[in-house]
Amino acid sequence: EVQLVESGGGLVQPGRSMKLSCAASGFTFSNYGMAWVRQAPTKGLEWVATISYDGSSTYYRDSVKGRFTISRDNAKSTLYLQMNSLRSEDTATYYCTREARGYYFDYWGQGVMVTVSS
Amino acid sequence: DIQMTQSPSSMSASLGDTVTINCLASQDIGNYLSWYQQKPGKSPKLMIYGATNLEDGVPSRFSGSRSGSDYSLTINSLGYDDEGIYHCHQYYEYPLTFGSGTKLEIK
């Protein structure tokens, strides 16, 4: 059974940093691209970043480019999102997702809440 | 960026009804369109990919279609379990984008 379990969220002050982790199991992690998708309270879904199966390619939405870094450790089957210079508009539930072969998201984690506030 | 205009934003239907949710892409995305169902407090669940392909385990009451840049999700024989928010998603190009969601309530 595919499982994606996020951790590392919480309350953080504006301008500070936070690192999210996503532990994957139930599939060969190194064969799949992975992504982070977020959802602000009562809002729609917003793609944040994608990393290729081997980590060689990464993609970001403009609003997080230069502040967020997506990475992975295939030996540990873990996906990361390093978030720096956090802003109030980054407040959201962050979902770890697996990219299916066609680059849609076939599995989602349960989500982790990140609140940016002073 | 590709805009996905989803409609309606909310709807209410009765048990056994058939409903259709629409997404209009601002440019050609081919069949690179998926649909997700999200229940309150839960993560989204993949329902349809490639505009018309049913994900494994999803009831055949769900179907997806395409007419040009217009994409539709149709749910037949509505049940209480179909209540939730439905999101469309284009994965044709970066930045990947979603529709604003349709909240479906079962009366």
Side-chain angles (χ1 to χ4, degrees):
Chain A
E1 179 195 5
V2 172
Q3 286 200 334
L4 301 170
V5 180
E6 301 96 336
S7 60
L11 175 64
V12 61
Q13 291 180 328
R16 304 297 291 264
S17 298
M18 177 175 277
K19 187 172 186 176
L20 305 182
S21 299
C22 170
S25 61
F27 65 102
T28 304
F29 183 71
S30 58
N31 285 353
Y32 289 85
M34 299 292 294
W36 291 96
V37 175
R38 67 186 180 186
Q39 186 171 35
T42 72
K43 299 295 185 184
L45 300 169
E46 184 174 82
W47 168 77
V48 175
T50 290
I51 187 167
S52 61
Y53 70 98
D54 60 355
S56 63
S57 298
T58 57
Y59 307 88
Y60 299 91
R61 68 178 304 102
D62 283 349
S63 61
V64 309
K65 215 172 281 185
R67 298 189 299 124
F68 289 13
T69 302
I70 188 172
S71 62
R72 63 191 298 158
D73 184 335
N74 283 347
K76 295 183 177 179
S77 296
T78 302
L79 176 72
Y80 302 101
L81 185 67
Q82 176 68 46
M83 304 183 292
N84 299 330
S85 303
L86 281 160
R87 306 167 180 168
S88 58
E89 55 263 37
D90 297 318
T91 294
T93 295
Y94 284 73
Y95 294 102
C96 167
T97 68
R98 188 181 85 165
E99 281 194 340
R101 298 302 183 198
Y103 306 108
Y104 51 91
F105 306 123
D106 61 352
Y107 286 94
W108 298 61
Q110 85 284 356
V112 62
M113 184 69 198
V114 173
T115 302
V116 184
S117 175
S118 54
Chain B
D1 298 4
I2 298 175
Q3 307 303 316
M4 302 300 297
T5 303
Q6 189 170 343
S7 62
S9 57
S10 65
M11 62 191 309
S12 182
S14 300
L15 277 177
D17 280 356
T18 294
V19 298
T20 298
I21 298 167
N22 299 290
C23 256
L24 175 65
S26 61
Q27 63 187 73
D28 178 43
I29 60 169
N31 287 329
Y32 294 92
L33 189 283
S34 57
W35 291 96
Y36 302 88
Q37 176 196 65
Q38 186 176 27
K39 301 203 174 204
K42 300 293 187 182
S43 54
K45 173 188 174 185
L46 176 66
M47 307 299 279
I48 300 282
Y49 63 94
T52 62
N53 299 294
L54 199 65
E55 173 68 350
D56 288 347
V58 173
S60 59
R61 303 183 291 103
F62 290 82
S63 63
S65 63
R66 172 193 174 190
S67 175
S69 294
D70 268 302
Y71 300 81
S72 298
L73 172 70
T74 298
I75 313 172
N76 296 313
S77 303
L78 273 178
Y80 285 120
D81 192 49
D82 298 330
E83 201 165 70
I85 299 175
Y86 291 82
H87 308 269
C88 65
H89 161 54
Q90 70 79 18
Y91 49 99
Y92 178 77
E93 69 176 28
Y94 293 108
L96 309 179
T97 50
F98 292 85
S100 54
T102 294
K103 185 175 183 178
L104 173 61
E105 176 196 64
I106 310 301
K107 287 186 280 192

